[in-house]
Amino acid sequence: MTNRVNGKVALVTAAGQGIGRAIAEALIAEGAKVIATDVAEDKVKDLQAAKRVKLDVRSQDNVDALEKTIAGEFGALDILINCAGYVANGSVLDCSDKDWDFSFDLNVKSMHRTIKAFLPAMLRKKSGSIVNISSAVSSIRGVPNRYAYGATKAAVIGLTKSVAADFIKQGIRCNAICPGTIESPSLEERIAQASKATGKSTDAVRQDFIGRQPMGRLGRAQEVAALALFLASDEASYITGQAHLVDGGMAL
């Protein structure tokens, strides 16, 4: 432990499992005061966070109420990590308006809500690092049956660059992380769904996911968290507005 973010106040969405949890744990281990949030409150209750909160990032009222609470208890955030997301399956022909709207609401508009709520206090302090979880499957690369998902994650990159450009002279940095295929409860759910839909065994479906990774393995959430920790810290003080791949070569 190097205490790279010692004393910094950090909020992490979707901290209950997968990438969000790994990032929360990494920040805690490095000395940050972490506000761990998740729509499923029970998933964060065992984190050694400064505060554990139920948060529905699809609710502006929820986000605004949390901002007021955090401002009263901790002051301005130093770090905002947006991890909430959903992987929709299918092509344009499978995507209903409801599917499209849900994907954009959870994957993109949630980030709009949190940034809009927490950025003003960062601006008053003239410092802050925002890290948004995008994906290699975005404007970087297209893969089959990820129509709505790829569109939302491309939008996250655009959102990130816009925030970075707007506030670059006011001490705010905003970066995106673009993971490849990462071992997580979410991936296990998708493997199970694909197995049921195709009749393939779960092992065969998992191998399909591994097969699209040039390194021949899936990524670990901790590998994404290591990059998030760096981008959140002052070590990355000259880096903003970029989409950072941690994808095992998937985008090559």
Side-chain angles (χ1 to χ4, degrees), residues 189-225:
E189 290 173 9
R190 297 201 301 279
I191 287 172
Q193 290 167 358
S195 174
K196 185 176 180 180
T198 63
K200 288 185 175 181
S201 69
T202 55
D203 286 343
V205 174
R206 182 176 287 103
Q207 193 57 48
D208 288 342
F209 279 102
I210 294 170
R212 73 184 191 185
Q213 299 295 132
M215 283 190 178
R217 69 172 177 87
L218 301 177
R220 294 181 295 110
Q222 291 75 16
E223 292 171 309
V224 182

PDB file of all heavy atoms in Angstrom, residues 189-225:
ATOM      1  N   GLU A 189     -23.568 -14.157 -15.651  1.00  0.00           N
ATOM      2  CA  GLU A 189     -24.984 -14.100 -16.032  1.00  0.00           C
ATOM      3  C   GLU A 189     -25.143 -14.159 -17.548  1.00  0.00           C
ATOM      4  O   GLU A 189     -26.022 -14.849 -18.069  1.00  0.00           O
ATOM      5  CB  GLU A 189     -25.614 -12.815 -15.492  1.00  0.00           C
ATOM      6  CG  GLU A 189     -25.783 -12.798 -13.983  1.00  0.00           C
ATOM      7  CD  GLU A 189     -26.257 -11.441 -13.477  1.00  0.00           C
ATOM      8  OE1 GLU A 189     -26.607 -10.585 -14.333  1.00  0.00           O
ATOM      9  OE2 GLU A 189     -26.277 -11.240 -12.251  1.00  0.00           O
ATOM     10  N   ARG A 190     -24.283 -13.439 -18.265  1.00  0.00           N
ATOM     11  CA  ARG A 190     -24.372 -13.440 -19.732  1.00  0.00           C
ATOM     12  C   ARG A 190     -24.004 -14.804 -20.304  1.00  0.00           C
ATOM     13  O   ARG A 190     -24.583 -15.250 -21.298  1.00  0.00           O
ATOM     14  CB  ARG A 190     -23.477 -12.347 -20.321  1.00  0.00           C
ATOM     15  CG  ARG A 190     -23.893 -10.959 -19.897  1.00  0.00           C
ATOM     16  CD  ARG A 190     -23.368  -9.882 -20.825  1.00  0.00           C
ATOM     17  NE  ARG A 190     -21.924  -9.847 -20.952  1.00  0.00           N
ATOM     18  CZ  ARG A 190     -21.110  -9.274 -20.070  1.00  0.00           C
ATOM     19  NH1 ARG A 190     -21.593  -8.710 -18.970  1.00  0.00           N
ATOM     20  NH2 ARG A 190     -19.811  -9.252 -20.275  1.00  0.00           N
ATOM     21  N   ILE A 191     -23.044 -15.468 -19.683  1.00  0.00           N
ATOM     22  CA  ILE A 191     -22.669 -16.814 -20.118  1.00  0.00           C
ATOM     23  C   ILE A 191     -23.847 -17.770 -19.936  1.00  0.00           C
ATOM     24  O   ILE A 191     -24.166 -18.557 -20.830  1.00  0.00           O
ATOM     25  CB  ILE A 191     -21.427 -17.305 -19.346  1.00  0.00           C
ATOM     26  CG1 ILE A 191     -20.171 -16.564 -19.831  1.00  0.00           C
ATOM     27  CG2 ILE A 191     -21.246 -18.821 -19.517  1.00  0.00           C
ATOM     28  CD1 ILE A 191     -18.937 -16.829 -18.999  1.00  0.00           C
ATOM     29  N   ALA A 192     -24.504 -17.669 -18.794  1.00  0.00           N
ATOM     30  CA  ALA A 192     -25.656 -18.537 -18.530  1.00  0.00           C
ATOM     31  C   ALA A 192     -26.785 -18.269 -19.519  1.00  0.00           C
ATOM     32  O   ALA A 192     -27.425 -19.205 -20.029  1.00  0.00           O
ATOM     33  CB  ALA A 192     -26.137 -18.339 -17.096  1.00  0.00           C
ATOM     34  N   GLN A 193     -27.032 -16.996 -19.806  1.00  0.00           N
ATOM     35  CA  GLN A 193     -28.081 -16.630 -20.756  1.00  0.00           C
ATOM     36  C   GLN A 193     -27.765 -17.141 -22.156  1.00  0.00           C
ATOM     37  O   GLN A 193     -28.629 -17.671 -22.856  1.00  0.00           O
ATOM     38  CB  GLN A 193     -28.266 -15.110 -20.772  1.00  0.00           C
ATOM     39  CG  GLN A 193     -28.900 -14.565 -19.503  1.00  0.00           C
ATOM     40  CD  GLN A 193     -28.788 -13.049 -19.402  1.00  0.00           C
ATOM     41  OE1 GLN A 193     -28.197 -12.389 -20.266  1.00  0.00           O
ATOM     42  NE2 GLN A 193     -29.330 -12.495 -18.334  1.00  0.00           N
ATOM     43  N   ALA A 194     -26.495 -16.982 -22.562  1.00  0.00           N
ATOM     44  CA  ALA A 194     -26.093 -17.439 -23.894  1.00  0.00           C
ATOM     45  C   ALA A 194     -26.162 -18.952 -23.999  1.00  0.00           C
ATOM     46  O   ALA A 194     -26.537 -19.503 -25.040  1.00  0.00           O
ATOM     47  CB  ALA A 194     -24.678 -16.944 -24.209  1.00  0.00           C
ATOM     48  N   SER A 195     -25.817 -19.622 -22.919  1.00  0.00           N
ATOM     49  CA  SER A 195     -25.891 -21.080 -22.908  1.00  0.00           C
ATOM     50  C   SER A 195     -27.331 -21.544 -23.104  1.00  0.00           C
ATOM     51  O   SER A 195     -27.617 -22.462 -23.892  1.00  0.00           O
ATOM     52  CB  SER A 195     -25.331 -21.612 -21.583  1.00  0.00           C
ATOM     53  OG  SER A 195     -25.517 -23.011 -21.481  1.00  0.00           O
ATOM     54  N   LYS A 196     -28.235 -20.892 -22.406  1.00  0.00           N
ATOM     55  CA  LYS A 196     -29.647 -21.247 -22.513  1.00  0.00           C
ATOM     56  C   LYS A 196     -30.193 -20.954 -23.908  1.00  0.00           C
ATOM     57  O   LYS A 196     -30.960 -21.750 -24.479  1.00  0.00           O
ATOM     58  CB  LYS A 196     -30.445 -20.461 -21.468  1.00  0.00           C
ATOM     59  CG  LYS A 196     -31.920 -20.831 -21.396  1.00  0.00           C
ATOM     60  CD  LYS A 196     -32.616 -20.079 -20.276  1.00  0.00           C
ATOM     61  CE  LYS A 196     -34.099 -20.445 -20.210  1.00  0.00           C
ATOM     62  NZ  LYS A 196     -34.794 -19.717 -19.111  1.00  0.00           N
ATOM     63  N   ALA A 197     -29.751 -19.841 -24.489  1.00  0.00           N
ATOM     64  CA  ALA A 197     -30.267 -19.438 -25.788  1.00  0.00           C
ATOM     65  C   ALA A 197     -29.726 -20.287 -26.930  1.00  0.00           C
ATOM     66  O   ALA A 197     -30.417 -20.520 -27.926  1.00  0.00           O
ATOM     67  CB  ALA A 197     -29.942 -17.966 -26.038  1.00  0.00           C
ATOM     68  N   THR A 198     -28.479 -20.743 -26.792  1.00  0.00           N
ATOM     69  CA  THR A 198     -27.822 -21.456 -27.899  1.00  0.00           C
ATOM     70  C   THR A 198     -27.787 -22.967 -27.730  1.00  0.00           C
ATOM     71  O   THR A 198     -27.545 -23.696 -28.694  1.00  0.00           O
ATOM     72  CB  THR A 198     -26.374 -20.958 -28.061  1.00  0.00           C
ATOM     73  OG1 THR A 198     -25.629 -21.278 -26.868  1.00  0.00           O
ATOM     74  CG2 THR A 198     -26.331 -19.461 -28.304  1.00  0.00           C
ATOM     75  N   GLY A 199     -28.005 -23.433 -26.506  1.00  0.00           N
ATOM     76  CA  GLY A 199     -27.889 -24.862 -26.244  1.00  0.00           C
ATOM     77  C   GLY A 199     -26.460 -25.313 -26.009  1.00  0.00           C
ATOM     78  O   GLY A 199     -26.204 -26.491 -25.747  1.00  0.00           O
ATOM     79  N   LYS A 200     -25.501 -24.391 -26.087  1.00  0.00           N
ATOM     80  CA  LYS A 200     -24.113 -24.720 -25.792  1.00  0.00           C
ATOM     81  C   LYS A 200     -23.923 -24.868 -24.287  1.00  0.00           C
ATOM     82  O   LYS A 200     -24.654 -24.267 -23.493  1.00  0.00           O
ATOM     83  CB  LYS A 200     -23.177 -23.607 -26.284  1.00  0.00           C
ATOM     84  CG  LYS A 200     -22.997 -23.508 -27.788  1.00  0.00           C
ATOM     85  CD  LYS A 200     -21.948 -22.426 -28.082  1.00  0.00           C
ATOM     86  CE  LYS A 200     -21.618 -22.339 -29.547  1.00  0.00           C
ATOM     87  NZ  LYS A 200     -20.579 -21.312 -29.800  1.00  0.00           N
ATOM     88  N   SER A 201     -22.921 -25.612 -23.907  1.00  0.00           N
ATOM     89  CA  SER A 201     -22.596 -25.700 -22.482  1.00  0.00           C
ATOM     90  C   SER A 201     -22.022 -24.364 -22.020  1.00  0.00           C
ATOM     91  O   SER A 201     -21.509 -23.571 -22.819  1.00  0.00           O
ATOM     92  CB  SER A 201     -21.576 -26.806 -22.231  1.00  0.00           C
ATOM     93  OG  SER A 201     -20.317 -26.449 -22.778  1.00  0.00           O
ATOM     94  N   THR A 202     -22.103 -24.119 -20.711  1.00  0.00           N
ATOM     95  CA  THR A 202     -21.531 -22.877 -20.189  1.00  0.00           C
ATOM     96  C   THR A 202     -20.021 -22.828 -20.421  1.00  0.00           C
ATOM     97  O   THR A 202     -19.464 -21.758 -20.679  1.00  0.00           O
ATOM     98  CB  THR A 202     -21.834 -22.716 -18.690  1.00  0.00           C
ATOM     99  OG1 THR A 202     -21.380 -23.879 -17.981  1.00  0.00           O
ATOM    100  CG2 THR A 202     -23.320 -22.511 -18.446  1.00  0.00           C
ATOM    101  N   ASP A 203     -19.360 -23.977 -20.353  1.00  0.00           N
ATOM    102  CA  ASP A 203     -17.917 -24.008 -20.611  1.00  0.00           C
ATOM    103  C   ASP A 203     -17.609 -23.599 -22.048  1.00  0.00           C
ATOM    104  O   ASP A 203     -16.643 -22.861 -22.309  1.00  0.00           O
ATOM    105  CB  ASP A 203     -17.349 -25.404 -20.343  1.00  0.00           C
ATOM    106  CG  ASP A 203     -17.254 -25.711 -18.855  1.00  0.00           C
ATOM    107  OD1 ASP A 203     -17.324 -24.759 -18.048  1.00  0.00           O
ATOM    108  OD2 ASP A 203     -17.114 -26.900 -18.506  1.00  0.00           O
ATOM    109  N   ALA A 204     -18.437 -24.050 -22.988  1.00  0.00           N
ATOM    110  CA  ALA A 204     -18.228 -23.700 -24.390  1.00  0.00           C
ATOM    111  C   ALA A 204     -18.460 -22.215 -24.624  1.00  0.00           C
ATOM    112  O   ALA A 204     -17.713 -21.557 -25.368  1.00  0.00           O
ATOM    113  CB  ALA A 204     -19.145 -24.522 -25.289  1.00  0.00           C
ATOM    114  N   VAL A 205     -19.485 -21.673 -23.984  1.00  0.00           N
ATOM    115  CA  VAL A 205     -19.766 -20.243 -24.133  1.00  0.00           C
ATOM    116  C   VAL A 205     -18.646 -19.419 -23.518  1.00  0.00           C
ATOM    117  O   VAL A 205     -18.200 -18.423 -24.092  1.00  0.00           O
ATOM    118  CB  VAL A 205     -21.117 -19.872 -23.481  1.00  0.00           C
ATOM    119  CG1 VAL A 205     -21.319 -18.363 -23.503  1.00  0.00           C
ATOM    120  CG2 VAL A 205     -22.263 -20.577 -24.203  1.00  0.00           C
ATOM    121  N   ARG A 206     -18.173 -19.842 -22.349  1.00  0.00           N
ATOM    122  CA  ARG A 206     -17.069 -19.122 -21.705  1.00  0.00           C
ATOM    123  C   ARG A 206     -15.831 -19.146 -22.609  1.00  0.00           C
ATOM    124  O   ARG A 206     -15.135 -18.134 -22.745  1.00  0.00           O
ATOM    125  CB  ARG A 206     -16.737 -19.740 -20.343  1.00  0.00           C
ATOM    126  CG  ARG A 206     -15.621 -19.004 -19.602  1.00  0.00           C
ATOM    127  CD  ARG A 206     -15.377 -19.573 -18.217  1.00  0.00           C
ATOM    128  NE  ARG A 206     -16.458 -19.222 -17.290  1.00  0.00           N
ATOM    129  CZ  ARG A 206     -17.411 -20.055 -16.918  1.00  0.00           C
ATOM    130  NH1 ARG A 206     -17.440 -21.303 -17.377  1.00  0.00           N
ATOM    131  NH2 ARG A 206     -18.348 -19.659 -16.083  1.00  0.00           N
ATOM    132  N   GLN A 207     -15.606 -20.259 -23.252  1.00  0.00           N
ATOM    133  CA  GLN A 207     -14.455 -20.360 -24.151  1.00  0.00           C
ATOM    134  C   GLN A 207     -14.599 -19.421 -25.346  1.00  0.00           C
ATOM    135  O   GLN A 207     -13.607 -18.886 -25.848  1.00  0.00           O
ATOM    136  CB  GLN A 207     -14.271 -21.805 -24.630  1.00  0.00           C
ATOM    137  CG  GLN A 207     -12.931 -22.058 -25.312  1.00  0.00           C
ATOM    138  CD  GLN A 207     -11.744 -21.709 -24.443  1.00  0.00           C
ATOM    139  OE1 GLN A 207     -11.672 -22.101 -23.275  1.00  0.00           O
ATOM    140  NE2 GLN A 207     -10.806 -20.946 -24.990  1.00  0.00           N
ATOM    141  N   ASP A 208     -15.834 -19.204 -25.782  1.00  0.00           N
ATOM    142  CA  ASP A 208     -16.065 -18.234 -26.863  1.00  0.00           C
ATOM    143  C   ASP A 208     -15.635 -16.837 -26.431  1.00  0.00           C
ATOM    144  O   ASP A 208     -15.027 -16.091 -27.209  1.00  0.00           O
ATOM    145  CB  ASP A 208     -17.544 -18.215 -27.255  1.00  0.00           C
ATOM    146  CG  ASP A 208     -17.981 -19.464 -28.002  1.00  0.00           C
ATOM    147  OD1 ASP A 208     -17.102 -20.181 -28.525  1.00  0.00           O
ATOM    148  OD2 ASP A 208     -19.205 -19.719 -28.063  1.00  0.00           O
ATOM    149  N   PHE A 209     -15.966 -16.470 -25.198  1.00  0.00           N
ATOM    150  CA  PHE A 209     -15.543 -15.168 -24.681  1.00  0.00           C
ATOM    151  C   PHE A 209     -14.021 -15.088 -24.578  1.00  0.00           C
ATOM    152  O   PHE A 209     -13.417 -14.084 -24.951  1.00  0.00           O
ATOM    153  CB  PHE A 209     -16.166 -14.902 -23.305  1.00  0.00           C
ATOM    154  CG  PHE A 209     -17.579 -14.395 -23.347  1.00  0.00           C
ATOM    155  CD1 PHE A 209     -18.649 -15.233 -23.087  1.00  0.00           C
ATOM    156  CD2 PHE A 209     -17.839 -13.061 -23.647  1.00  0.00           C
ATOM    157  CE1 PHE A 209     -19.959 -14.759 -23.114  1.00  0.00           C
ATOM    158  CE2 PHE A 209     -19.139 -12.576 -23.679  1.00  0.00           C
ATOM    159  CZ  PHE A 209     -20.205 -13.428 -23.418  1.00  0.00           C
ATOM    160  N   ILE A 210     -13.415 -16.161 -24.089  1.00  0.00           N
ATOM    161  CA  ILE A 210     -11.954 -16.190 -23.971  1.00  0.00           C
ATOM    162  C   ILE A 210     -11.315 -16.110 -25.350  1.00  0.00           C
ATOM    163  O   ILE A 210     -10.304 -15.436 -25.554  1.00  0.00           O
ATOM    164  CB  ILE A 210     -11.492 -17.462 -23.238  1.00  0.00           C
ATOM    165  CG1 ILE A 210     -11.966 -17.429 -21.777  1.00  0.00           C
ATOM    166  CG2 ILE A 210      -9.971 -17.617 -23.297  1.00  0.00           C
ATOM    167  CD1 ILE A 210     -11.774 -18.741 -21.026  1.00  0.00           C
ATOM    168  N   GLY A 211     -11.950 -16.760 -26.320  1.00  0.00           N
ATOM    169  CA  GLY A 211     -11.395 -16.835 -27.671  1.00  0.00           C
ATOM    170  C   GLY A 211     -11.262 -15.494 -28.368  1.00  0.00           C
ATOM    171  O   GLY A 211     -10.420 -15.337 -29.254  1.00  0.00           O
ATOM    172  N   ARG A 212     -12.071 -14.513 -27.982  1.00  0.00           N
ATOM    173  CA  ARG A 212     -11.962 -13.200 -28.625  1.00  0.00           C
ATOM    174  C   ARG A 212     -10.920 -12.309 -27.945  1.00  0.00           C
ATOM    175  O   ARG A 212     -10.708 -11.177 -28.355  1.00  0.00           O
ATOM    176  CB  ARG A 212     -13.333 -12.510 -28.659  1.00  0.00           C
ATOM    177  CG  ARG A 212     -13.853 -11.985 -27.352  1.00  0.00           C
ATOM    178  CD  ARG A 212     -15.255 -11.414 -27.504  1.00  0.00           C
ATOM    179  NE  ARG A 212     -15.667 -10.672 -26.321  1.00  0.00           N
ATOM    180  CZ  ARG A 212     -16.874 -10.150 -26.143  1.00  0.00           C
ATOM    181  NH1 ARG A 212     -17.794 -10.297 -27.068  1.00  0.00           N
ATOM    182  NH2 ARG A 212     -17.168  -9.480 -25.045  1.00  0.00           N
ATOM    183  N   GLN A 213     -10.279 -12.831 -26.902  1.00  0.00           N
ATOM    184  CA  GLN A 213      -9.217 -12.097 -26.220  1.00  0.00           C
ATOM    185  C   GLN A 213      -7.860 -12.579 -26.735  1.00  0.00           C
ATOM    186  O   GLN A 213      -7.501 -13.739 -26.511  1.00  0.00           O
ATOM    187  CB  GLN A 213      -9.301 -12.303 -24.707  1.00  0.00           C
ATOM    188  CG  GLN A 213     -10.591 -11.808 -24.079  1.00  0.00           C
ATOM    189  CD  GLN A 213     -10.748 -10.305 -24.190  1.00  0.00           C
ATOM    190  OE1 GLN A 213     -11.798  -9.815 -24.579  1.00  0.00           O
ATOM    191  NE2 GLN A 213      -9.698  -9.562 -23.862  1.00  0.00           N
ATOM    192  N   PRO A 214      -7.088 -11.734 -27.402  1.00  0.00           N
ATOM    193  CA  PRO A 214      -5.802 -12.161 -27.964  1.00  0.00           C
ATOM    194  C   PRO A 214      -4.836 -12.742 -26.938  1.00  0.00           C
ATOM    195  O   PRO A 214      -4.001 -13.577 -27.285  1.00  0.00           O
ATOM    196  CB  PRO A 214      -5.247 -10.871 -28.578  1.00  0.00           C
ATOM    197  CG  PRO A 214      -6.457 -10.075 -28.937  1.00  0.00           C
ATOM    198  CD  PRO A 214      -7.431 -10.356 -27.830  1.00  0.00           C
ATOM    199  N   MET A 215      -4.939 -12.315 -25.682  1.00  0.00           N
ATOM    200  CA  MET A 215      -4.048 -12.864 -24.651  1.00  0.00           C
ATOM    201  C   MET A 215      -4.445 -14.272 -24.243  1.00  0.00           C
ATOM    202  O   MET A 215      -3.716 -14.930 -23.501  1.00  0.00           O
ATOM    203  CB  MET A 215      -4.014 -11.958 -23.417  1.00  0.00           C
ATOM    204  CG  MET A 215      -3.167 -10.724 -23.596  1.00  0.00           C
ATOM    205  SD  MET A 215      -2.936  -9.866 -22.016  1.00  0.00           S
ATOM    206  CE  MET A 215      -1.875  -8.522 -22.572  1.00  0.00           C
ATOM    207  N   GLY A 216      -5.621 -14.701 -24.683  1.00  0.00           N
ATOM    208  CA  GLY A 216      -6.050 -16.057 -24.378  1.00  0.00           C
ATOM    209  C   GLY A 216      -6.592 -16.243 -22.975  1.00  0.00           C
ATOM    210  O   GLY A 216      -6.659 -17.368 -22.466  1.00  0.00           O
ATOM    211  N   ARG A 217      -6.998 -15.176 -22.355  1.00  0.00           N
ATOM    212  CA  ARG A 217      -7.607 -15.255 -21.031  1.00  0.00           C
ATOM    213  C   ARG A 217      -8.533 -14.070 -20.842  1.00  0.00           C
ATOM    214  O   ARG A 217      -8.471 -13.074 -21.569  1.00  0.00           O
ATOM    215  CB  ARG A 217      -6.553 -15.260 -19.925  1.00  0.00           C
ATOM    216  CG  ARG A 217      -5.796 -13.933 -19.762  1.00  0.00           C
ATOM    217  CD  ARG A 217      -4.920 -13.977 -18.519  1.00  0.00           C
ATOM    218  NE  ARG A 217      -4.122 -12.776 -18.337  1.00  0.00           N
ATOM    219  CZ  ARG A 217      -4.544 -11.677 -17.693  1.00  0.00           C
ATOM    220  NH1 ARG A 217      -5.768 -11.627 -17.182  1.00  0.00           N
ATOM    221  NH2 ARG A 217      -3.740 -10.642 -17.553  1.00  0.00           N
ATOM    222  N   LEU A 218      -9.392 -14.163 -19.843  1.00  0.00           N
ATOM    223  CA  LEU A 218     -10.228 -13.046 -19.463  1.00  0.00           C
ATOM    224  C   LEU A 218      -9.462 -12.102 -18.537  1.00  0.00           C
ATOM    225  O   LEU A 218      -8.500 -12.511 -17.874  1.00  0.00           O
ATOM    226  CB  LEU A 218     -11.486 -13.551 -18.737  1.00  0.00           C
ATOM    227  CG  LEU A 218     -12.381 -14.515 -19.522  1.00  0.00           C
ATOM    228  CD1 LEU A 218     -13.537 -14.983 -18.658  1.00  0.00           C
ATOM    229  CD2 LEU A 218     -12.894 -13.857 -20.799  1.00  0.00           C
ATOM    230  N   GLY A 219      -9.879 -10.852 -18.520  1.00  0.00           N
ATOM    231  CA  GLY A 219      -9.275  -9.907 -17.599  1.00  0.00           C
ATOM    232  C   GLY A 219      -9.841 -10.057 -16.203  1.00  0.00           C
ATOM    233  O   GLY A 219     -10.882 -10.682 -15.989  1.00  0.00           O
ATOM    234  N   ARG A 220      -9.151  -9.501 -15.241  1.00  0.00           N
ATOM    235  CA  ARG A 220      -9.614  -9.495 -13.855  1.00  0.00           C
ATOM    236  C   ARG A 220     -10.052  -8.091 -13.476  1.00  0.00           C
ATOM    237  O   ARG A 220      -9.463  -7.102 -13.911  1.00  0.00           O
ATOM    238  CB  ARG A 220      -8.500  -9.973 -12.916  1.00  0.00           C
ATOM    239  CG  ARG A 220      -8.114 -11.446 -13.108  1.00  0.00           C
ATOM    240  CD  ARG A 220      -7.025 -11.874 -12.140  1.00  0.00           C
ATOM    241  NE  ARG A 220      -5.769 -11.171 -12.378  1.00  0.00           N
ATOM    242  CZ  ARG A 220      -5.245 -10.256 -11.589  1.00  0.00           C
ATOM    243  NH1 ARG A 220      -5.866  -9.906 -10.464  1.00  0.00           N
ATOM    244  NH2 ARG A 220      -4.105  -9.675 -11.883  1.00  0.00           N
ATOM    245  N   ALA A 221     -11.063  -8.023 -12.646  1.00  0.00           N
ATOM    246  CA  ALA A 221     -11.567  -6.716 -12.223  1.00  0.00           C
ATOM    247  C   ALA A 221     -10.465  -5.897 -11.551  1.00  0.00           C
ATOM    248  O   ALA A 221     -10.427  -4.670 -11.684  1.00  0.00           O
ATOM    249  CB  ALA A 221     -12.747  -6.901 -11.276  1.00  0.00           C
ATOM    250  N   GLN A 222      -9.554  -6.560 -10.875  1.00  0.00           N
ATOM    251  CA  GLN A 222      -8.468  -5.853 -10.200  1.00  0.00           C
ATOM    252  C   GLN A 222      -7.529  -5.163 -11.193  1.00  0.00           C
ATOM    253  O   GLN A 222      -6.891  -4.159 -10.862  1.00  0.00           O
ATOM    254  CB  GLN A 222      -7.677  -6.819  -9.308  1.00  0.00           C
ATOM    255  CG  GLN A 222      -8.431  -7.313  -8.087  1.00  0.00           C
ATOM    256  CD  GLN A 222      -9.483  -8.367  -8.408  1.00  0.00           C
ATOM    257  OE1 GLN A 222      -9.476  -8.957  -9.499  1.00  0.00           O
ATOM    258  NE2 GLN A 222     -10.380  -8.620  -7.459  1.00  0.00           N
ATOM    259  N   GLU A 223      -7.446  -5.710 -12.403  1.00  0.00           N
ATOM    260  CA  GLU A 223      -6.603  -5.082 -13.423  1.00  0.00           C
ATOM    261  C   GLU A 223      -7.224  -3.778 -13.925  1.00  0.00           C
ATOM    262  O   GLU A 223      -6.515  -2.816 -14.253  1.00  0.00           O
ATOM    263  CB  GLU A 223      -6.366  -6.064 -14.576  1.00  0.00           C
ATOM    264  CG  GLU A 223      -5.503  -7.236 -14.160  1.00  0.00           C
ATOM    265  CD  GLU A 223      -5.420  -8.344 -15.200  1.00  0.00           C
ATOM    266  OE1 GLU A 223      -6.472  -8.801 -15.684  1.00  0.00           O
ATOM    267  OE2 GLU A 223      -4.283  -8.757 -15.529  1.00  0.00           O
ATOM    268  N   VAL A 224      -8.545  -3.742 -13.983  1.00  0.00           N
ATOM    269  CA  VAL A 224      -9.245  -2.499 -14.309  1.00  0.00           C
ATOM    270  C   VAL A 224      -9.115  -1.515 -13.150  1.00  0.00           C
ATOM    271  O   VAL A 224      -8.882  -0.316 -13.349  1.00  0.00           O
ATOM    272  CB  VAL A 224     -10.725  -2.765 -14.626  1.00  0.00           C
ATOM    273  CG1 VAL A 224     -11.436  -1.467 -15.003  1.00  0.00           C
ATOM    274  CG2 VAL A 224     -10.865  -3.788 -15.744  1.00  0.00           C
ATOM    275  N   ALA A 225      -9.229  -2.022 -11.944  1.00  0.00           N
ATOM    276  CA  ALA A 225      -9.147  -1.167 -10.760  1.00  0.00           C
ATOM    277  C   ALA A 225      -7.784  -0.500 -10.646  1.00  0.00           C
ATOM    278  O   ALA A 225      -7.686   0.656 -10.207  1.00  0.00           O
ATOM    279  CB  ALA A 225      -9.434  -1.989  -9.501  1.00  0.00           C
TER     280      ALA A 225
END
